[in-house]
Amino acid sequence: MAVSGFEGFEKRLELQFTGDDPKTLRNGFRNLNFQSLEEILDAVQCTVVSAVGNRFFDSYVLSESSLFVYPTKIIIKTCGTTQLLKSVPLFLSHAHQMGLTVIGCRYTRGSFIFPKSQLFPHTSFREEIIYLENNLPANLCFKKASIMPPPSKKTKKSSSSHSWHVYTASDGIDYDNMMTIHEDDIDDDEVVTVEVCMTELDKALARKFFRRPGDDNCGEVVGNEMTEITGIRNINPKSIICDFGFDPCGYSMNGIDGENYSTIHVTPEDGFSYASFEGIGLQSPWSRKKYNDSRTDIGNTLRKVVQVFRPSTMSVSITSTSNKVTKSSQDLLWRYVSDSVESLGLNCTTSSFDKFPGFGSVVFQTFTGKSRK
């Protein structure tokens, strides 16, 4: 492992809002002018390099990962030594000016490869929690912080090199755009978010994310070529992809498909290689039976992602807004994810589960394969 290098593991922030004025809710944060957006990103220490949108939301590829802007929801994830949480007071200030009220906050990240390189307020999970609680309003009174899998009581350390840090805060009210309670076994409004973190990528596959010597094409052209030659295009062929290839290496893409998105970020350097995949709107095993669409099936998607990168170590976090996740459905999801990637040489090493007020449940698993020389 390199002593120092680029931090691939992202920090991810999700803020959800509501308001009283239907006209405001129709466009909400999509009305935020680009100059204001740049000021927020400047505080985080990143910039916009490419963008695409549709009638549902706007998608931005950043110099360090991605930003998704819905009328009443913001999702931003950044890598490196960015100071992601510094965006919180700025987003909340703009929300107040628009007549929007924050009703939920969800922050997640993996275990940094280079934790000592992180800047305030990201030097520890505790510091991140304190910063969030100092900047979030009092109405978000239902809070929870968790590390998955839980650290050992004796050593205070996790049993896995991939740990999942989750902090949520909500006002405890079930809004139409958050969680809706139903009488049946499947929540019609269930939203499933899959977050995958991969390290020690196959070296031959990682080399595809380096620019060719003498290639002076723009980032969009290079990114499009990487999307095609790596097989990323095939993960969801229906999606509209906005991609970017960095110099001398690295790759980011956002894919939009109706109300849903997927995003991939790659740091291919040997010694600290890393790739991530995130998809929202994928189908859990129970909803798969109802909708029967293999294109957005979690297992099918995970297999495609693993084949693009062939990581030696991987973690999978699946967040479901459903309030119906039981012990049996939790076990079903564990087995389903494990079965989906086991044939590709990855074995499940840890599994954990937790519930978060206003944000449903999280199933988290880690996988390891054969070490590569």
Side-chain angles (χ1 to χ4, degrees):
M1 181 65 70
V3 175
S4 181
F6 186 81
E7 180 60 66
F9 275 93
E10 299 97 348
K11 318 161 185 87
R12 180 188 187 276
L13 174 71
E14 179 175 336
L15 295 171
Q16 299 187 3
F17 303 86
T18 191
D20 297 324
D21 185 351
K23 292 182 180 179
T24 300
L25 294 176
R26 189 174 300 120
N27 291 313
F29 263 98
R30 298 188 74 181
N31 285 334
L32 188 66
N33 64 63
F34 190 70
Q35 182 180 350
S36 297
L37 199 58
E38 284 184 310
E39 291 172 356
I40 295 172
L41 296 177
D42 185 59
V44 175
Q45 297 184 353
C46 61
T47 59
V48 173
V49 298
S50 192
V52 68
N54 61 16
R55 67 189 183 93
F56 297 106
F57 67 101
D58 298 312
S59 155
Y60 300 89
V61 175
L62 306 178
S63 55
E64 280 83 9
S65 301
S66 294
L67 167 68
F68 302 95
V69 180
Y70 291 80
T72 58
K73 181 166 63 176
I74 295 287
I75 297 170
I76 178 171
K77 58 191 302 181
T78 61
C79 54
T81 56
T82 51
Q83 296 167 285
L84 173 66
L85 293 184
K86 286 192 174 183
S87 67
V88 172
L90 300 176
F91 279 127
L92 296 185
S93 175
H94 283 291
H96 179 72
Q97 294 171 24
M98 295 180 200
L100 296 173
T101 301
V102 64
I103 55 176
C105 170
R106 177 173 175 258
Y107 174 70
T108 58
R109 68 166 174 86
S111 297
F112 296 129
I113 300 174
F114 307 108
K116 293 183 179 180
S117 298
Q118 291 299 312
L119 305 174
F120 173 84
H122 298 285
T123 57
S124 70
F125 188 42
R126 176 179 172 81
E127 184 177 73
E128 291 167 325
I129 294 170
I130 292 172
Y131 186 87
L132 281 166
E133 297 197 339
N134 286 340
N135 283 279
L136 293 173
N139 67 304
L140 302 189
C141 54
F142 294 86
K143 307 171 185 177
K144 183 170 182 176
S146 178
I147 299 177
M148 305 170 70
S152 165
K153 292 182 179 180
K154 289 185 178 180
T155 65
K156 306 298 182 182
K157 296 182 178 180
S158 174
S159 59
S160 172
S161 60
H162 282 224
S163 295
W164 198 236
H165 302 69
V166 185
Y167 172 86
T168 63
S170 75
D171 63 3
I173 302 173
D174 289 325
Y175 295 89
D176 289 340
N177 61 337
M178 290 185 69
M179 184 189 302
T180 304
I181 298 175
H182 294 269
E183 298 294 330
D184 55 11
D185 292 332
I186 299 174
D187 284 354
D188 290 337
D189 293 338
E190 178 191 26
V191 177
V192 174
T193 303
V194 178
E195 297 171 76
V196 183
C197 301
M198 297 166 280
T199 54
E200 299 176 74
L201 311 181
D202 179 271
K203 292 182 180 180
L205 297 177
R207 279 195 291 270
K208 295 181 180 180
F209 296 98
F210 282 79
R211 280 181 179 247
R212 296 188 305 273
D215 185 352
D216 58 357
N217 284 316
C218 67
E220 288 88 349
V221 171
V222 175
N224 186 259
E225 181 179 329
M226 291 177 177
T227 297
E228 298 298 337
I229 66 174
T230 58
I232 287 174
R233 175 75 64 184
N234 298 324
I235 294 175
N236 181 358
K238 186 181 176 183
S239 65
I240 299 170
I241 291 179
C242 179
D243 39 25
F244 196 90
F246 295 91
D247 188 11
C249 63
Y251 169 87
S252 288
M253 86 80 163
N254 293 338
I256 64 175
D257 181 5
E259 297 180 78
N260 303 319
Y261 70 80
S262 60
T263 183
I264 291 175
H265 304 283
V266 186
T267 301
E269 293 97 325
D270 189 28
F272 49 95
S273 62
Y274 171 86
S276 68
F277 168 84
E278 178 181 337
I280 188 169
L282 298 178
Q283 295 174 31
S284 58
W286 43 90
S287 63
R288 178 173 59 95
K289 296 175 181 177
K290 181 176 181 180
Y291 297 108
N292 191 30
D293 184 355
S294 62
R295 180 174 50 83
T296 58
D297 171 65
I298 287 176
N300 188 43
T301 300
L302 285 175
R303 282 190 292 272
K304 290 180 179 180
V305 170
V306 170
Q307 288 170 335
V308 169
F309 299 104
R310 293 282 180 176
S312 286
T313 308
M314 178 177 78
S315 65
V316 179
S317 167
I318 300 177
T319 302
S320 169
T321 60
S322 171
N323 63 313
K324 293 281 188 177
V325 177
T326 62
K327 181 64 167 61
S328 59
S329 58
Q330 164 194 327
D331 291 340
L332 170 64
L333 189 54
W334 277 343
R335 291 195 304 272
Y336 184 63
V337 172
S338 296
D339 291 345
S340 297
V341 300
E342 195 172 65
S343 62
L344 300 175
L346 290 169
N347 297 314
C348 184
T349 51
T350 66
S351 298
S352 48
F353 171 83
D354 210 341
K355 290 186 175 182
F356 296 86
F359 282 89
S361 60
V362 177
V363 170
F364 180 73
Q365 293 171 273
T366 59
F367 299 84
T368 57
K370 294 180 180 180
S371 298
R372 303 185 183 95
K373 296 182 179 180

